[in-house]
DNA sequence: TAGATTGTTAATCGATTAACAATC
DNA sequence: TAGATTGTTAATCGATTAACAATC
């Protein structure tokens, strides 16, 4: 359960809110004004009971017998997700992945703004990977985080550097980190770390592939 | 529960196996020969009871009073994850992200090999984003999947193209998909889709930031 | 009113945690 | 033997699902 003001929302529900929001945006783009829990659930890849249950943690927004207004439900979820205010991001580490993340175009539409890029490589510092922002040196991390009022950090450094950078970042007061480094970061209790691990995802798929192969040979 | 041969492993456990494997590799690299559930759990970011419980689904590999042999536990988890055989990947969509994924160097060490790159843009087809493999046209998808015996596909296309590509890929017999497109793919029941949604992860962090702000203003 | 669909309750299911007997 | 640590049991906790009364 994550307490937000007067709301208490289960972690599993929070993790699905972005799916619902995305599905609502897609419906809006198609000109759909009103939707049902069944339609929205299908578009989100969950069951309709789960969708209704999830929404019930945020309040009561539908009309019995009718459904949900797409535009207003969209606003409800956006504001629950804190997308009203703009979140200021720093991307640390501009290798392959950091470069791609710096060029990702979807931030602004979703309430995020990349305000700083940092790296240690002399070949990278000073370049403008996304055309606009110049890469600054990691040595100046604390200064830059303060100057730009950074509230979230995206960590795309090599694994061996991640822990040290995370310590400096949290010491500077940043409390939200998205990490692409496949290591368990040790951070203060009040810091939230989300991790994306591409190799790990592939390994999970490999487990399923192996399970499939085993059941095939058992049956056949 | 995912059945693999004689094993039945909970999905939550499977999702943690890559963390354990990574932590074991780190210990190995540090020259550590033997570890305990406490040490390995700390390095993996979980509790020791959870680690022991997870391992118990794979079998019994420790020595009471002593701990676990790092090298042999590493082998146990690797083979549970099906990393003995090499998995042949195709990356579809070579925008920013696909480009970064094509250049990622960690595949081979972890039992994966990128054997094909596909896109539709004339400017990209024929180029060699990673220096070696040339990008082929999506039109030839089916032919390429068969030619290269592809077993897993990484989808990095724009969201609007993802569903159509997923249908062709599954029709060709691929049963494991890693998708970076933020849409709920409709695929046959026996196909496993793992999704990575960077914007969604940021939104989850934004929820936590909003929750923190709300509790601060309530207290202060 | 009749039909549709929400919001909520209660039941089920699965995952986590703590505690400890087994045993090296 | 004494100390350490596993593997497992049982209790707790949280998440999902089905069913349906409320109500538009």
């Amino acid at each position: 359960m994550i307490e937000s003001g007067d709301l208490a929302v289960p972690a599993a529900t929070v993790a699905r809110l972005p799916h619902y929001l995305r599905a609502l945006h897609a419906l809006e783009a198609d000109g759909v004004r009103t939707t049902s829990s069944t339609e929205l659930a299908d578009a989100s890849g969950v069951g309709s009971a789960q969708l209704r249950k999830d929404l019930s943690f945020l309040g009561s927004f539908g009309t019995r017998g009718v459904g949900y207004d797409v535009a207003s439900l969209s606003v409800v979820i956006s504001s629950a997700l804190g997308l009203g205010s703009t979140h200021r991001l720093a991307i640390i580490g501009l290798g392959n992945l950091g470069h791609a993340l710096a060029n990702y175009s979807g931030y602004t539409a979703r309430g995020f703004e990349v305000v700083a890029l940092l790296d240690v490589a002399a070949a990278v510092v000073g370049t403008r990977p996304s055309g606009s922002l110049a890469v600054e040196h990691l040595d100046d991390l604390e200064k830059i985080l303060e100057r730009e009022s950074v509230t979230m950090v995206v960590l795309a450094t090599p694994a061996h550097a991640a822990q040290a950078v995370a310590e400096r970042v949290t010491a500077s007061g940043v409390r939200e980190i998205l990490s692409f480094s496949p290591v368990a970061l040790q951070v203060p209790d009040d810091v939230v770390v989300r991790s994306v691990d591409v190799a790990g995802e592939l390994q999970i798929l490999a487990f399923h592939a192996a399970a499939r192969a085993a059941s095939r040979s058992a049956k056949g």
Side-chain angles (χ1 to χ4, degrees), chain A:
Chain A
M1 280 294 188
I2 304 162
E3 316 282 334
S4 180
D6 42 346
L7 268 51
V9 188
T13 296
V14 172
R16 281 187 294 268
L17 293 180
H19 304 339
Y20 302 150
L21 188 56
R22 217 163 47 208
L24 285 166
H25 286 332
L27 289 173
E28 245 174 339
D30 287 354
V32 177
R33 298 292 194 102
T34 303
T35 188
S36 65
S37 62
T38 307
E39 181 181 49
L40 184 54
D42 285 351
S44 308
V46 304
S48 68
Q50 181 156 86
L51 171 72
R52 291 198 302 278
K53 180 96 225 198
D54 282 340
L55 292 181
S56 76
F57 292 108
L58 303 180
S60 165
F61 310 105
T63 307
R64 288 165 137 104
V66 178
Y68 302 90
D69 180 75
V70 171
S72 55
L73 187 56
S74 195
V75 169
V76 164
I77 295 179
S78 280
S79 67
L81 283 171
L83 304 182
S85 57
T86 297
H87 298 271
R88 299 173 64 81
L89 305 185
I91 298 176
I92 305 182
L94 285 128
N96 286 322
L97 191 58
H99 204 278
L101 294 168
N103 278 288
Y104 174 61
S105 56
Y107 295 114
T108 329
R110 297 164 197 246
F112 300 93
E113 188 180 358
V114 178
V115 296
L117 304 174
L118 294 94
D119 203 308
V120 291
V124 175
V125 172
T127 62
R128 299 175 187 274
S130 61
S132 48
L133 228 40
V135 178
E136 299 178 80
H137 199 283
L138 185 66
D139 284 350
D140 300 322
L141 175 66
E142 289 77 6
K143 203 165 61 184
I144 298 165
L145 294 180
E146 170 145 26
R147 186 191 73 209
E148 299 295 342
S149 306
V150 167
T151 55
M152 288 186 189
V153 156
V154 176
L155 263 188
T157 66
H160 61 84
Q163 179 61 37
V165 174
E167 285 169 15
R168 290 176 63 194
V169 159
T170 54
S172 292
V174 171
R175 287 295 170 265
E176 269 77 39
I177 297 175
L178 177 57
S179 171
F180 290 84
S181 300
V183 290
L185 296 176
Q186 313 292 333
V187 296
D189 278 354
D190 64 335
V191 174
V192 183
V193 177
R194 301 278 311 175
S195 278
V196 171
D197 176 11
V198 174
E201 294 296 329
L202 289 174
Q203 291 174 353
I204 294 169
L205 289 176
F207 183 96
H208 281 91
R212 191 190 317 279
S215 91
R216 239 199 324 268
S217 71
K219 278 187 200 154

